[in-house]
Amino acid sequence: MIDAWYPVGLISGLTREGRETLLMEQPITVRAGKTGKPEVVTADGRSLPIVERFGHVWTSLGTPEKDLFTIPEADHPERVLVDVGVVRVKCSPLRAVENFLDIAHFPFVHTDILGAEPHTEVEKYDVKIREEEDEVWATKVKFFQPQAAKSAEEGITTEYMYRVPSPTSSVLYKTCPPRPGEWDVICLFVQPLTETLCDVWPWMALFDEDTSMTDLIHFQQLIFLQDRSILENQIPARLPLDPGMETPTRADLTSIAYRRWLKQHGYTYGAELVAQ
Amino acid sequence: MPDLMPPRRERLEILGEVNSPSFVPWIKRHSGRLGLEASAFSVAPGRIGVTVAGQPDLIDALEVGCLLGPIDVWVSAIDRAPVADLI
Amino acid sequence: MRLNASSPWIPLALSGDIPNGTVIPATLCSKPIAIWRSQSGQVNANGNRCPHRGMRLSHGFVRGETLSCIYHGWRFGQDGACQHIPAHPDVVPPASINCGPLQVAEQDGVIWVAEDQVESQPPRLDGLKPLRSLVFCAEPEAILTASGGTEVDLGVEATLAGTRICLLLQGQAPAETLCLVLVDQATSPKACAEISRALEGIRRRAEGETEKRGAA
């Protein structure tokens, strides 16, 4: 997992003095270099590799085998790109991703926003680990929602796709009411500070001409703060790779596929190997 | 209280690197947790077979749990087939 | 210091701490639990971890005679058994899916919880009535010293503002002790207020002592 790319800051938030932060317990400084380009430096002066993408600065403590993933849909010129801003959460970075992949909690955690009783049933959907891209994908996910997006006027059945292209990043594609046939793109990029502390960087690429940037940001922040109160109160803190003390059901298939993929790769930073 | 869906009896074949001694006890525990009857275990290289009976959604849940299983197994696939009840 | 030498019943809340339809967290001998009161007034206790995916049940909500987990709405009855899984509404959850029910008794204005099956009733608190509950950032020994009282089976007996009081003490975490304050049945409201004020003095002394010992 040390060779993966991780988000460590907003491109728009870079300063010359820089921001001190942690990546997998290593202190790093993220700053704008003399030419304005981002620099990430460890405490002992080592310069780390950089990618600028999706409004964020990405880096790695190791040697990434491939380039950071892409999201072609996000390149559409009419998309509104939204840097939501960082939220610190006292939880495993892997728990943050697992929660993002979950829809069964919508009626209870995001009541009357992303879901509501009695529309709680989670119908069968498809999940697979795509061998070639080496990514987890969930498709044909559907859920009835009273107010699916800031731009939605009434309840609709929203369709979703979920994608995990790297251990602590996830991309959600959801049906876009003003543009039938297109997907709104909502991302969670998670910076692991330690195994039980992370900085979450949400990011979006939407078709929405009507809602102000402030409202779009507030909406996503509200959703995420509701999730935070869940994330900070789950036992055990690390993500179990053995579900022996849990009761996953078919509705949890995306979470289980994510855990399988982590297990397959030996991505265990923030994971619990034995059921506690 | 909803009507109980008609119980099903199915044979699950769990394929992969599954021959750790921890796995059969794990499956027994997990199916007990789900209120399922688990019987007729068979163990061969690369496969564990088990017959389970109970509510269909809970058999689905057992499959989901077994896809992960204990840390020392790797399940590549789970095949399922209905088992006719002997009358 | 013996806190609960003979009885399997552990005092963990005052009746007034848990109104109808609410749930609170507590610690039963280092084990996190949830104590809740149904809409009809029945007190229940169980482990504080949803069997689904490990969410703390003390963050959940009470509806009627059931407790629901806030994460995915899994619903548990007073026997601890799961009654409903909202994502799969047609499933009849088996009793094996449960949140670890514990025995509870409500007596003399105090809520008692036992870890194992108990035949007996909780100890009687004759002549005493509950005043309030407090959490001290202190060890039980420091509370004993600060109160100037004597150690008894479940905590400390002392005299405060001229009145007999009893502090039921339960460690919740290192340097964190739950204190259920009971006073003589005949204590007047005025005296109760004086006792409450005097308790703050005990708290300051006990917490100060614990801090000193911690720093040493």
Side-chain angles (χ1 to χ4, degrees):
Chain A
M1 232 168 115
I2 198 139
D3 295 319
W5 291 103
Y6 296 100
V8 290
L10 278 171
I11 296 170
S12 60
L14 290 171
T15 61
R16 287 303 310 272
E17 315 83 65
R19 193 176 133 262
E20 280 170 21
T21 182
L22 283 180
L23 180 57
M24 297 168 89
E25 292 147 72
Q26 296 302 311
I28 57 172
T29 304
V30 183
R31 62 185 180 220
K34 281 202 270 284
T35 60
K37 292 256 104 198
E39 282 176 1
V40 178
V41 188
T42 63
D44 51 356
R46 182 162 66 107
S47 279
L48 299 182
I50 304 270
V51 166
E52 291 175 83
R53 195 168 298 169
F54 315 127
H56 288 77
V57 178
W58 300 73
T59 192
S60 177
L61 287 169
T63 320
E65 275 174 9
K66 48 183 188 175
D67 190 19
L68 179 64
F69 58 90
T70 60
I71 308 174
E73 294 83 352
D75 295 331
H76 193 295
E78 280 162 58
R79 293 260 180 192
V80 173
L81 307 181
V82 185
D83 298 341
V84 178
V86 69
V87 182
R88 179 156 297 184
V89 190
K90 290 197 210 74
C91 75
S92 159
L94 309 181
R95 283 276 198 205
V97 172
E98 174 190 60
N99 167 266
F100 188 71
L101 300 173
D102 180 88
I103 58 170
H105 71 280
F106 286 176
F108 301 98
V109 181
H110 309 301
T111 312
D112 296 333
I113 309 175
L114 298 184
E117 292 175 277
H119 311 283
T120 60
E121 183 165 9
V122 176
E123 293 173 48
K124 278 189 192 170
Y125 54 88
D126 293 342
V127 181
K128 66 189 296 203
I129 295 179
R130 288 188 186 174
E131 298 288 340
E132 189 172 320
E133 299 92 319
D134 190 23
E135 297 181 353
V136 183
W137 278 84
T139 56
K140 302 195 186 120
V141 186
K142 299 191 288 299
F143 209 72
F144 179 82
Q145 302 180 312
Q147 184 203 328
K150 206 68 185 98
S151 56
E153 297 233 294
E154 55 192 10
I156 51 173
T157 295
T158 303
E159 238 193 86
Y160 290 91
M161 295 193 301
Y162 284 94
R163 171 188 174 200
V164 179
S166 88
T168 66
S169 294
S170 181
V171 185
L172 152 62
Y173 303 83
K174 64 198 264 204
T175 47
C176 175
R179 294 253 188 153
E182 295 279 3
W183 300 95
D184 269 338
V185 173
I186 300 171
C187 304
L188 213 73
F189 306 138
V190 184
Q191 172 183 354
L193 302 174
T194 72
E195 288 198 87
T196 52
L197 185 68
C198 56
D199 272 351
V200 175
W201 304 89
W203 185 78
M204 307 191 280
L206 312 172
F207 284 118
D208 187 331
E209 292 150 4
D210 302 321
T211 315
S212 73
M213 182 64 74
T214 310
D215 282 354
L216 288 175
I217 290 174
H218 282 176
F219 183 74
Q220 208 52 45
Q221 281 178 340
L222 167 65
I223 301 292
F224 193 71
L225 291 175
Q226 290 173 336
D227 284 318
R228 182 166 72 174
S229 61
I230 299 291
L231 289 170
E232 296 191 337
N233 290 283
Q234 264 186 294
I235 311 300
R238 290 180 177 77
L239 183 72
L241 293 188
D242 171 347
M245 292 287 289
E246 297 170 298
T247 319
T249 69
R250 201 181 53 236
D252 302 312
L253 206 47
T254 315
S255 154
I256 294 303
Y258 172 55
R259 297 189 194 189
R260 280 188 81 220
W261 182 79
L262 291 171
K263 182 176 173 175
Q264 185 178 37
H265 287 278
Y267 290 152
T268 55
Y269 191 81
E272 202 67 77
L273 303 189
V274 179
Q276 307 274 321
Chain B
M1 190 101 137
D3 286 334
L4 188 60
M5 288 175 77
R8 268 218 291 261
R9 188 177 293 273
E10 288 191 34
R11 183 82 185 155
L12 269 59
E13 293 286 327
I14 303 169
L15 310 170
E17 292 159 38
V18 296
N19 297 108
S20 160
S22 64
F23 205 7
V24 169
W26 192 99
I27 297 167
K28 285 184 178 161
R29 251 191 336 265
H30 209 69
S31 32
R33 218 177 145 77
L34 292 165
L36 298 167
E37 257 179 54
S39 60
F41 279 90
S42 67
V43 179
R47 73 196 297 136
I48 292 181
V50 56
T51 298
V52 288
Q55 294 173 66
D57 284 346
L58 294 176
I59 299 180
D60 287 350
L62 180 65
E63 181 188 4
V64 169
C66 287
L67 278 169
L68 259 183
I71 196 64
D72 53 354
V73 309
W74 175 256
V75 175
S76 54
I78 298 185
D79 292 338
R80 289 167 63 168
V83 173
D85 277 334
L86 299 169
I87 296 175
Chain C
M1 183 177 159
R2 301 166 315 144
L3 286 185
N4 51 293
S6 44
S7 175
W9 289 105
I10 311 289
L12 283 179
L14 296 181
S15 298
D17 291 337
I18 314 184
N20 286 3
T22 66
V23 52
I24 67 165
T27 307
L28 175 68
C29 309
S30 323
K31 181 186 145 133
I33 70 166
I35 310 177
W36 54 285
R37 195 187 291 278
S38 73
Q39 220 57 56
S40 72
Q42 181 70 32
V43 183
N44 308 279
N46 39 255
N48 197 4
R49 175 177 171 170
C50 182
H52 178 212
R53 217 192 270 176
M55 179 63 193
R56 288 250 177 259
L57 288 170
S58 57
H59 286 252
F61 54 95
V62 175
R63 202 181 265 171
E65 305 303 291
T66 63
L67 173 67
S68 294
C69 179
I70 191 62
Y71 201 174
H72 304 93
W74 285 37
R75 199 150 73 213
F76 302 91
Q78 299 190 82
D79 57 357
C82 182
Q83 291 183 357
H84 184 63
I85 297 175
H88 305 284
D90 294 335
V91 169
V92 178
S96 46
I97 301 178
N98 67 76
C99 55
L102 299 159
Q103 248 192 304
V104 186
E106 188 165 20
Q107 187 175 274
D108 302 321
V110 173
I111 294 169
W112 306 80
V113 185
E115 218 168 350
D116 305 306
Q117 275 301 104
V118 184
E119 295 293 315
S120 60
Q121 290 296 102
R124 296 242 55 140
L125 302 167
D126 291 323
L128 294 167
K129 64 179 180 184
L131 177 65
R132 56 175 301 198
S133 54
L134 291 171
V135 174
F136 284 28
C137 296
E139 293 295 333
E141 288 82 359
I143 301 170
L144 170 63
T145 311
S147 68
T150 48
E151 188 180 343
V152 294
D153 237 5
L154 290 162
V156 169
E157 244 178 33
T159 303
L160 216 55
T163 313
R164 174 172 84 105
I165 69 161
C166 178
L167 306 177
L168 301 182
L169 301 179
Q170 276 302 315
Q172 298 291 282
E176 190 183 312
T177 305
L178 173 66
C179 178
L180 305 181
V181 184
L182 309 167
V183 299
D184 194 279
Q185 201 110 69
T187 310
S188 67
K190 182 162 173 259
C192 284
E194 281 169 29
I195 291 167
S196 276
R197 274 193 293 277
L199 279 168
E200 287 307 314
I202 296 182
R203 190 220 290 270
R204 268 198 310 278
R205 287 195 296 281
E207 292 184 350
E209 185 54 42
T210 295
E211 217 181 299
K212 258 193 293 180
R213 287 197 203 167

